[in-house]
C-alpha cells in the first residue's frame, strides 16, 4: 500500500510532524511511504496512492497559502473521480494554544470529502489523543519563539507521538481496506 504525505512548512515544525507521521506509517508491514514538501509534490502522483495525508501550518484557522494553491490543482482529479474511495488524513501546527487547530483540520478535510475520499482520524482510545489531540487529525501547538518552557516542549513531543499514531492508523486502515477491496471490489 502506498501512502503519500504532502506538507507545507515554514519554520520546520510542520515538517517534523510530517516526518513523525511517516515514521508511524513505515512501521506497518507493506507500507510504502512517500513524503514531499508541497513545492516538490506532484498532484499527478496521487492517482497511484492508496492513502493521502496532507498538512500545513494553520493560518488563523485556515490552510496555508502554499498547500491551498497545491490543493487547487486537484480539479482534473475531481472531474475524473480519481481520488474517490482513497483514504485521507490531515495534520497541522499552530503557534498558539487554541490557535485554530480544529478549524484548520476541518478546512483540510473539506477538499478530501469533495474528492470522495474516506477520512481517517484518531480515536479517543489513544490516551494522548483524549487528553491533548483531536478526532479530526493531528494538530500540534508549536510556539514560534524559542522556548525552554517544559510545558511547550512536552506538548510538542506529545504531538509528534500523535503524528506517529496517525501514520500507523492510516497504514493499518489501508492494509485492511486494501485486503477487502481485493476480495470484494471497490465500494
Amino acid at each position: 500500500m502506498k501512502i503519500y504525505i504532502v506538507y507545507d512548512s515554514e519554520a520546520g515544525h510542520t515538517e517534523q510532524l510530517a516526518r513523525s507521521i511517516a515514521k508511524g506509517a513505515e512501521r506497518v508491514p507493506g507500507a510504502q511511504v512517500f513524503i514531499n514538501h508541497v513545492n516538490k509534490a506532484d498532484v499527478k502522483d496521487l492517482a497511484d496512492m492508496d492513502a493521502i495525508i496532507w498538512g500545513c501550518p494553520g493560518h488563523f484557522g485556515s490552510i496555508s497559502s502554499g498547500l491551498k494553491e497545491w490543493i487547487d490543482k486537484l480539479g482534473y482529479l475531481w472531474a475524473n473521480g480519481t481520488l474517490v474511495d482513497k483514504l485521507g488524513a490531515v495534520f497541522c501546527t499552530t503557534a498558539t494554544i487554541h490557535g485554530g487547530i480544529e478549524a484548520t483540520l476541518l478546512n483540510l478535510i473539506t477538499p478530501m470529502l469533495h474528492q470522495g475520499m474516506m477520512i481517517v482520524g484518531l480515536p479517543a482510545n489513544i490516551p494522548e489523543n483524549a487528553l491533548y489531540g483531536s478526532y479530526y487529525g493531528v494538530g500540534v501547538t508549536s510556539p514560534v519563539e524559542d522556548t525552554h518552557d517544559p510545558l511547550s516542549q512536552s506538548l510538542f513531543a506529545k504531538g509528534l507521538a500523535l503524528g506517529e499514531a496517525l501514520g500507523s492508523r492510516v497504514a493499518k486502515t489501508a492494509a485492511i481496506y486494501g485486503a477487502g477491496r481485493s476480495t470484494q471490489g471497490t465500494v
Side-chain angles (χ1 to χ4, degrees):
M1 70 214 135
K2 295 180 179 179
I3 300 166
Y4 199 16
I5 301 169
V6 177
Y7 67 92
D8 190 11
S9 187
E10 296 160 358
H13 298 103
T14 311
E15 180 178 3
Q16 279 184 277
L17 183 54
R19 296 205 179 282
S20 73
I21 293 167
K23 184 177 175 182
E26 288 168 343
R27 288 189 181 136
V28 177
Q32 285 183 278
V33 179
F34 305 88
I35 183 170
N36 267 318
H37 186 277
V38 69
N39 292 339
K40 296 179 182 177
D42 187 343
V43 297
K44 294 175 187 168
D45 292 337
L46 299 180
D48 295 326
M49 300 298 146
D50 299 298
I52 301 156
I53 306 169
W54 62 48
C56 64
H59 289 184
F60 310 106
S62 192
I63 303 171
S64 69
S65 62
L67 186 60
K68 176 71 169 89
E69 181 181 349
W70 185 83
I71 289 171
D72 286 345
K73 296 175 186 174
L74 300 178
Y76 84 95
L77 295 172
W78 171 83
N80 294 313
T82 305
L83 303 183
V84 170
D85 292 338
K86 292 188 185 286
L87 299 177
V90 298
F91 62 98
C92 73
T93 58
T94 61
T96 60
I97 295 173
H98 305 298
I101 285 176
E102 287 194 343
T104 302
L105 294 172
L106 290 169
N107 281 310
L108 288 166
I109 288 170
T110 301
M112 291 181 165
L113 292 171
H114 279 258
Q115 294 285 343
M117 297 172 67
M118 295 180 287
I119 308 304
V120 178
L122 282 177
N125 68 346
I126 298 171
E128 295 85 1
N129 199 45
L131 295 172
Y132 173 69
S134 170
Y135 303 111
Y136 309 118
V138 175
V140 178
T141 301
S142 49
V144 291
E145 70 277 353
D146 283 333
T147 179
H148 299 292
D149 173 42
L151 177 60
S152 294
Q153 291 175 348
S154 173
L155 291 175
F156 190 69
K158 288 179 181 176
L160 294 178
L162 287 173
E164 288 185 37
L166 180 66
S168 176
R169 185 154 197 258
V170 169
K172 288 175 183 176
T173 303
I176 293 166
Y177 180 63
R181 286 180 72 169
S182 67
T183 59
Q184 298 177 357
T186 60
V187 176

